[in-house]
Amino acid sequence: MKISHTSPDIPLSTQAGGQENCAHGVRVQRQVTEPTSSARHNSIRRQLNLSNPDFNIQQLQKQEQLTGIGRIKPELYKQRSLDTDDGTRSNSKACGKLNFILKYDCDLEQLIVKIHKAVNLPAKDFSGTSDPYVKIYLLPDRKTKHQTKVHRKTLNPVFDEVFLFPVPYNDLAARKLHFSVYDFDRFSRHDLIGQVVVDHFLDLADFPRECILWKDIEYVTNDNVDLGELMFSLCYLPTAGRLTITIIKARNLKAMDITGASDPYVKVSLMCDGRRLKKRKTSTKRNTLNPVYNEAIVFDVPPENIDQIHLSIAVMDYDRVGHNEIIGVCQVGNEAERLGRDHWSEMLSYPRKPIAHWHSLVEKR
């Protein structure tokens, strides 16, 4: 593999004071292509072919056939009534309602959020029910995430869970409370049922005292969650067995820091049958939501293996203190969805030609 050398409950009854007590203190790096060497091709063959049992495609496929007997296949249990005749999910806006309570503790400078219940959620499972749970953020900070417990087989879950967000009162005007309602799925990607966004806290009646709210859960798909976009090009040279992905730039990334910005870098993983063979990353761009990279990452993939691999791309936010956070992800390959599959097919149809596209980022499950 070759790559450009770049660096890379508290009770809700907490006494709240009056509003008057709260408002106090109101360079571009590019890949240099080297001649093809048999040693480089041997590297990927060792991981994909017979010389390395861990990544033997034929062996993995045979093992999958043997172990697949009696295995539950979740795709067989999708609820047909929720899909249209062509298999796509209907664009219904009826996603139910969410009931929650907001309150601000002026002494502790904390926003208190109690998620009470949801009603009339859409059925996502074959049984005609769902397994709902709720994720909650106080945007633009996405590092502090809270999540309710999963409630099994119900369209009217009662959560009754309390979450705390430390935030100065004067900062509330610039913050948004974001609820994402999901259907838990043990076997595949969790389904996003919908979302609720609350802002303008100071305009709420009775705030900072207890406010009981009912909000419609807005229909949204995973792809509609606005995490930003990433542009990159793909190029494959069959004679050299060289796969090049050039990370060009990103735009409108989700702010992950309290400053309203992020420190993004891009991590690219070469995948085969759920196994990561190699990973590389770009340099980190500081304090920006629109980074420009122009950095090439090269993987050596022999032509006989190109249909068996795919690329997983993750845009990350660097954190010098805590853990690096995932902003969003996308995939390209034969098994990818929509643009990810089309981009890959276009690359294979036009060898030796870089093909560039914008890709929307989605949340990783």
Side-chain angles (χ1 to χ4, degrees):
M1 299 280 178
K2 296 291 180 180
I3 183 175
S4 57
H5 300 285
T6 55
S7 337
D9 141 8
I10 75 170
L12 191 60
S13 56
T14 304
Q15 181 177 358
Q19 185 170 357
E20 64 276 5
N21 295 328
C22 298
H24 52 272
V26 158
R27 122 203 120 136
V28 172
Q29 304 196 27
R30 298 187 181 277
Q31 172 71 24
V32 178
T33 302
E34 297 179 358
T36 304
S37 70
S38 58
R40 293 193 293 116
H41 280 178
N42 288 338
S43 174
I44 190 69
R45 288 192 177 100
R46 279 196 299 270
Q47 297 181 71
L48 286 171
N49 292 332
L50 294 174
S51 58
N52 190 339
D54 290 339
F55 300 109
N56 181 350
I57 296 297
Q58 292 76 16
Q59 182 176 338
L60 288 174
Q61 291 173 340
K62 182 177 180 180
Q63 181 181 358
E64 180 66 22
Q65 292 172 355
L66 293 175
T67 59
I69 299 175
R71 176 180 297 174
I72 294 176
K73 297 182 178 181
E75 63 270 17
L76 300 179
Y77 296 88
K78 291 298 181 181
Q79 186 183 7
R80 294 182 178 274
S81 62
L82 297 179
D83 298 333
T84 59
D85 291 338
D86 61 356
T88 58
R89 189 166 296 278
S90 61
N91 192 27
S92 172
K93 301 294 182 181
C95 294
K97 289 179 174 289
L98 185 66
N99 176 218
F100 55 96
I101 301 172
L102 300 183
K103 183 178 179 180
Y104 188 79
D105 189 313
C106 297
D107 295 328
L108 299 178
E109 292 194 320
Q110 289 181 330
L111 179 65
I112 305 172
V113 182
K114 177 180 180 179
I115 302 180
H116 178 38
K117 63 182 178 179
V119 297
N120 300 325
L121 296 180
K124 293 287 186 175
D125 299 334
F126 182 75
S127 61
T129 62
S130 293
D131 300 318
Y133 68 94
V134 182
K135 287 183 181 180
I136 179 172
Y137 299 90
L138 185 61
L139 301 178
D141 177 20
R142 294 184 69 87
K143 292 184 177 180
T144 303
K145 176 187 72 174
H146 295 296
Q147 179 176 314
T148 69
K149 297 178 181 178
V150 176
H151 287 251
R152 303 286 183 178
K153 300 183 184 304
T154 178
L155 303 180
N156 300 282
V158 177
F159 300 103
D160 280 336
E161 296 186 47
V162 176
F163 305 101
L164 306 178
F165 293 91
V167 55
Y169 182 85
N170 291 335
D171 290 350
L172 287 173
R175 310 299 289 272
K176 294 182 180 181
L177 202 57
H178 188 281
F179 302 86
S180 297
V181 185
Y182 286 92
D183 170 51
F184 175 84
D185 193 322
R186 177 178 299 175
F187 301 107
S188 63
R189 183 174 181 171
H190 301 180
D191 291 323
L192 178 58
I193 295 175
Q195 67 180 15
V196 173
V197 179
V198 180
D199 53 8
H200 304 298
F201 298 103
L202 305 185
D203 295 337
L204 296 174
D206 297 326
F207 194 84
R209 294 183 295 274
E210 184 175 298
C211 303
I212 302 175
L213 302 174
W214 282 92
K215 293 288 183 180
D216 289 328
I217 301 173
E218 299 177 359
Y219 173 83
V220 65
T221 66
N222 288 308
D223 293 340
N224 289 334
V225 178
D226 188 13
L227 302 177
E229 296 177 284
L230 179 67
M231 175 185 276
F232 56 86
S233 69
L234 297 174
C235 182
Y236 185 61
L237 281 67
T239 54
R242 186 169 65 242
L243 172 62
T244 303
I245 174 172
T246 301
I247 307 299
I248 302 173
K249 58 184 176 180
R251 65 186 179 191
N252 302 324
L253 295 180
K254 203 72 177 179
M256 301 292 284
D257 300 334
I258 197 65
T259 60
S262 294
D263 300 318
Y265 67 92
V266 182
K267 182 172 66 176
V268 183
S269 300
L270 180 68
M271 308 291 294
C272 176
D273 288 341
R275 300 170 182 261
R276 184 168 64 192
L277 305 182
K278 295 287 183 180
K279 68 175 180 178
R280 295 291 184 267
K281 60 184 178 180
T282 68
S283 58
T284 300
K285 303 300 178 181
R286 302 289 183 178
N287 196 36
T288 178
L289 301 179
N290 299 280
V292 177
Y293 299 98
N294 288 318
E295 299 179 28
I297 294 174
V298 177
F299 297 107
D300 296 312
V301 183
E304 62 266 27
N305 299 125
I306 190 65
D307 291 330
Q308 299 160 340
I309 59 97
H310 69 271
L311 296 178
S312 177
I313 301 105
V315 180
M316 310 286 296
D317 175 49
Y318 172 80
D319 193 324
R320 65 173 57 90
V321 178
H323 296 289
N324 298 344
E325 297 282 336
I326 298 177
I327 298 176
V329 300
C330 62
Q331 288 190 352
V332 288
N334 286 328
E335 302 301 322
E337 299 178 354
R338 294 185 291 276
L339 179 58
R341 180 178 60 250
D342 296 340
H343 194 175
W344 188 262
S345 298
E346 190 176 359
M347 172 197 74
L348 296 178
S349 300
Y350 298 94
R352 297 175 294 278
K353 179 182 178 181
I355 307 294
H357 285 293
W358 283 103
H359 290 256
S360 295
L361 301 175
V362 299
E363 288 187 334
K364 183 177 181 179
R365 298 288 174 263

